[in-house]
Amino acid sequence: MRLITTAILCLVLLINIDAQEVISNAGNSFSNNNLEISWTLGETIIKTEQSSENQITQGFHQSKIVVTAIEANFQSICNINVFPNPTSDFLNLNFDKEVESNLRFSLINSEGRILVNKQIEAKQTQIKMHHYTTGIYFLQVRENNDVIKAFKIVKN
């Protein structure tokens, strides 16, 4: 009798569970007035829900993603070099001409957390990396909140 009660209880619980499930290593979400973008790494469950007006899909975005540099839709105001990569102590951010516009850089960890967000004021900028743990980081160069270039940084 106890086995039957346990089996019925399990079935009732499984039938009533209708939650969104994501098994993921990392992820984040970004949005503005017109668009929302979400990403995950290592997601294993896929499901699509739709109505007459909308469709929502959860599932694999990329099975393997390697980003070394991302070019913006428009020409960058100058060439940007980041070195050494991989790095252990410092990261150098160099521009081929003097910085005249409203440029900022953001250093982001693999969980999407912004670690540094600073104004770029010189042709050469040095970013201290020695106090960060070993792993993958992303460096974004922005002009007026638009990403003009992004780099994958490997910290030893």
Side-chain angles (χ1 to χ4, degrees):
M1 183 66 175
R2 189 174 193 170
L3 182 62
I4 293 172
T5 305
T6 305
I8 291 172
L9 181 62
C10 288
L11 285 173
V12 169
L13 288 175
L14 289 174
I15 291 170
N16 289 328
I17 295 175
D18 190 24
Q20 182 177 5
E21 184 177 358
V22 175
I23 300 171
S24 173
N25 295 334
N28 208 341
S29 178
F30 302 96
S31 64
N32 64 20
N33 294 337
N34 300 321
L35 180 68
E36 181 176 336
I37 297 174
S38 297
W39 63 270
T40 58
L41 279 177
E43 188 174 339
T44 58
I45 297 173
I46 300 172
K47 185 176 183 181
T48 300
E49 296 287 337
Q50 66 185 56
S51 67
S52 60
E53 297 175 2
N54 299 311
Q55 178 176 336
I56 298 173
T57 303
Q58 74 178 44
F60 295 104
H61 293 272
Q62 294 289 330
S63 59
K64 181 179 180 186
I65 186 164
V66 176
V67 178
T68 54
I70 302 170
E71 297 293 333
N73 294 352
F74 52 92
Q75 280 294 339
S76 176
I77 58 169
C78 57
N79 289 327
I80 304 168
N81 293 315
V82 175
F83 61 92
N85 192 11
T87 186
S88 57
D89 294 325
F90 294 97
L91 191 62
N92 296 299
L93 179 60
N94 288 352
F95 297 84
D96 65 347
K97 56 185 170 184
E98 291 301 319
V99 177
E100 299 174 2
S101 61
N102 185 20
L103 291 179
R104 299 185 73 79
F105 75 86
S106 297
L107 184 66
I108 303 165
N109 69 9
S110 61
E111 296 173 347
R113 213 171 288 133
I114 298 174
L115 305 173
V116 180
N117 185 18
K118 288 188 178 178
Q119 183 80 27
I120 298 171
E121 298 174 356
K123 188 176 175 180
Q124 295 179 315
T125 301
Q126 194 170 67
I127 304 165
K128 295 176 184 176
M129 297 291 292
H130 62 273
H131 56 280
Y132 296 120
T133 59
T134 300
I136 303 293
Y137 295 84
F138 299 95
L139 181 71
Q140 293 180 341
V141 178
R142 298 175 174 269
E143 180 178 28
N144 300 323
N145 292 327
D146 293 323
V147 176
I148 60 173
K149 198 144 189 185
F151 301 89
K152 175 185 166 187
I153 307 298
V154 177
K155 165 69 169 73
N156 292 333

